[in-house]
PDB file of all heavy atoms in Angstrom:
ATOM      1  N   LYS A 232     -26.464  19.935  14.534  1.00 97.00           N
ATOM      2  CA  LYS A 232     -26.277  21.362  14.277  1.00 97.00           C
ATOM      3  C   LYS A 232     -27.364  21.915  13.363  1.00 97.00           C
ATOM      4  O   LYS A 232     -27.115  22.759  12.485  1.00 97.00           O
ATOM      5  CB  LYS A 232     -24.883  21.625  13.699  1.00 97.00           C
ATOM      6  CG  LYS A 232     -23.768  21.194  14.655  1.00 97.00           C
ATOM      7  CD  LYS A 232     -22.412  21.696  14.251  1.00 97.00           C
ATOM      8  CE  LYS A 232     -21.389  21.333  15.341  1.00 97.00           C
ATOM      9  NZ  LYS A 232     -20.051  21.839  15.067  1.00 97.00           N
ATOM     10  N   ASN A 233     -28.590  21.410  13.593  1.00 97.00           N
ATOM     11  CA  ASN A 233     -29.757  21.866  12.833  1.00 97.00           C
ATOM     12  C   ASN A 233     -29.568  21.720  11.325  1.00 97.00           C
ATOM     13  O   ASN A 233     -30.036  22.554  10.531  1.00 97.00           O
ATOM     14  CB  ASN A 233     -30.081  23.324  13.176  1.00 97.00           C
ATOM     15  CG  ASN A 233     -30.486  23.487  14.626  1.00 97.00           C
ATOM     16  OD1 ASN A 233     -31.254  22.675  15.153  1.00 97.00           O
ATOM     17  ND2 ASN A 233     -29.953  24.508  15.272  1.00 97.00           N
ATOM     18  N   GLY A 234     -28.882  20.626  10.955  1.00 97.00           N
ATOM     19  CA  GLY A 234     -28.672  20.363   9.544  1.00 97.00           C
ATOM     20  C   GLY A 234     -27.596  21.199   8.894  1.00 97.00           C
ATOM     21  O   GLY A 234     -27.397  21.118   7.674  1.00 97.00           O
ATOM     22  N   GLN A 235     -26.878  21.997   9.694  1.00 97.00           N
ATOM     23  CA  GLN A 235     -25.844  22.873   9.140  1.00 97.00           C
ATOM     24  C   GLN A 235     -24.433  22.325   9.340  1.00 97.00           C
ATOM     25  O   GLN A 235     -23.453  22.959   8.923  1.00 97.00           O
ATOM     26  CB  GLN A 235     -25.934  24.263   9.787  1.00 97.00           C
ATOM     27  CG  GLN A 235     -27.283  24.943   9.600  1.00 97.00           C
ATOM     28  CD  GLN A 235     -27.646  25.116   8.145  1.00 97.00           C
ATOM     29  OE1 GLN A 235     -26.856  25.650   7.361  1.00 97.00           O
ATOM     30  NE2 GLN A 235     -28.838  24.664   7.769  1.00 97.00           N
ATOM     31  N   GLY A 236     -24.320  21.173   9.968  1.00 97.00           N
ATOM     32  CA  GLY A 236     -22.996  20.639  10.268  1.00 97.00           C
ATOM     33  C   GLY A 236     -22.254  20.162   9.025  1.00 97.00           C
ATOM     34  O   GLY A 236     -22.860  19.698   8.054  1.00 97.00           O
ATOM     35  N   ASP A 237     -20.930  20.276   9.057  1.00 98.00           N
ATOM     36  CA  ASP A 237     -20.080  19.864   7.941  1.00 98.00           C
ATOM     37  C   ASP A 237     -18.806  19.265   8.525  1.00 98.00           C
ATOM     38  O   ASP A 237     -17.917  19.971   8.980  1.00 98.00           O
ATOM     39  CB  ASP A 237     -19.750  21.066   7.059  1.00 98.00           C
ATOM     40  CG  ASP A 237     -19.069  20.686   5.749  1.00 98.00           C
ATOM     41  OD1 ASP A 237     -18.201  19.789   5.773  1.00 98.00           O
ATOM     42  OD2 ASP A 237     -19.391  21.290   4.706  1.00 98.00           O
ATOM     43  N   VAL A 238     -18.737  17.926   8.529  1.00 98.00           N
ATOM     44  CA  VAL A 238     -17.600  17.247   9.134  1.00 98.00           C
ATOM     45  C   VAL A 238     -16.312  17.581   8.389  1.00 98.00           C
ATOM     46  O   VAL A 238     -15.260  17.807   9.001  1.00 98.00           O
ATOM     47  CB  VAL A 238     -17.817  15.717   9.146  1.00 98.00           C
ATOM     48  CG1 VAL A 238     -16.608  14.996   9.724  1.00 98.00           C
ATOM     49  CG2 VAL A 238     -19.067  15.371   9.941  1.00 98.00           C
ATOM     50  N   MET A 239     -16.388  17.617   7.081  1.00 98.00           N
ATOM     51  CA  MET A 239     -15.199  17.913   6.280  1.00 98.00           C
ATOM     52  C   MET A 239     -14.662  19.303   6.603  1.00 98.00           C
ATOM     53  O   MET A 239     -13.442  19.501   6.738  1.00 98.00           O
ATOM     54  CB  MET A 239     -15.541  17.798   4.804  1.00 98.00           C
ATOM     55  CG  MET A 239     -14.368  17.906   3.868  1.00 98.00           C
ATOM     56  SD  MET A 239     -13.324  16.442   3.848  1.00 98.00           S
ATOM     57  CE  MET A 239     -12.138  16.918   2.568  1.00 98.00           C
ATOM     58  N   ALA A 240     -15.547  20.270   6.757  1.00 98.00           N
ATOM     59  CA  ALA A 240     -15.112  21.637   7.056  1.00 98.00           C
ATOM     60  C   ALA A 240     -14.459  21.715   8.429  1.00 98.00           C
ATOM     61  O   ALA A 240     -13.417  22.368   8.603  1.00 98.00           O
ATOM     62  CB  ALA A 240     -16.302  22.595   6.976  1.00 98.00           C
ATOM     63  N   GLU A 241     -15.053  21.061   9.420  1.00 98.00           N
ATOM     64  CA  GLU A 241     -14.488  21.118  10.764  1.00 98.00           C
ATOM     65  C   GLU A 241     -13.140  20.403  10.827  1.00 98.00           C
ATOM     66  O   GLU A 241     -12.217  20.856  11.516  1.00 98.00           O
ATOM     67  CB  GLU A 241     -15.466  20.514  11.766  1.00 98.00           C
ATOM     68  CG  GLU A 241     -16.728  21.348  11.948  1.00 98.00           C
ATOM     69  CD  GLU A 241     -17.563  20.887  13.130  1.00 98.00           C
ATOM     70  OE1 GLU A 241     -17.043  20.148  13.996  1.00 98.00           O
ATOM     71  OE2 GLU A 241     -18.742  21.284  13.192  1.00 98.00           O
ATOM     72  N   LEU A 242     -13.021  19.290  10.119  1.00 98.00           N
ATOM     73  CA  LEU A 242     -11.741  18.584  10.109  1.00 98.00           C
ATOM     74  C   LEU A 242     -10.684  19.392   9.365  1.00 98.00           C
ATOM     75  O   LEU A 242      -9.521  19.448   9.791  1.00 98.00           O
ATOM     76  CB  LEU A 242     -11.907  17.210   9.467  1.00 98.00           C
ATOM     77  CG  LEU A 242     -10.654  16.336   9.439  1.00 98.00           C
ATOM     78  CD1 LEU A 242     -10.122  16.088  10.849  1.00 98.00           C
ATOM     79  CD2 LEU A 242     -10.929  15.010   8.742  1.00 98.00           C
ATOM     80  N   ALA A 243     -11.061  20.026   8.275  1.00 98.00           N
ATOM     81  CA  ALA A 243     -10.106  20.855   7.536  1.00 98.00           C
ATOM     82  C   ALA A 243      -9.567  21.972   8.414  1.00 98.00           C
ATOM     83  O   ALA A 243      -8.355  22.247   8.428  1.00 98.00           O
ATOM     84  CB  ALA A 243     -10.773  21.427   6.286  1.00 98.00           C
ATOM     85  N   ALA A 244     -10.440  22.611   9.180  1.00 98.00           N
ATOM     86  CA  ALA A 244      -9.999  23.696  10.071  1.00 98.00           C
ATOM     87  C   ALA A 244      -9.083  23.161  11.163  1.00 98.00           C
ATOM     88  O   ALA A 244      -8.059  23.781  11.498  1.00 98.00           O
ATOM     89  CB  ALA A 244     -11.211  24.392  10.675  1.00 98.00           C
ATOM     90  N   ALA A 245      -9.428  22.021  11.733  1.00 98.00           N
ATOM     91  CA  ALA A 245      -8.606  21.432  12.787  1.00 98.00           C
ATOM     92  C   ALA A 245      -7.235  21.030  12.261  1.00 98.00           C
ATOM     93  O   ALA A 245      -6.220  21.203  12.943  1.00 98.00           O
ATOM     94  CB  ALA A 245      -9.318  20.232  13.402  1.00 98.00           C
TER      95      ALA A 245
END
Side-chain angles (χ1 to χ4, degrees):
K232 299 192 174 183
N233 296 317
Q235 302 302 308
D237 190 319
V238 178
M239 187 74 177
E241 292 191 17
L242 182 59

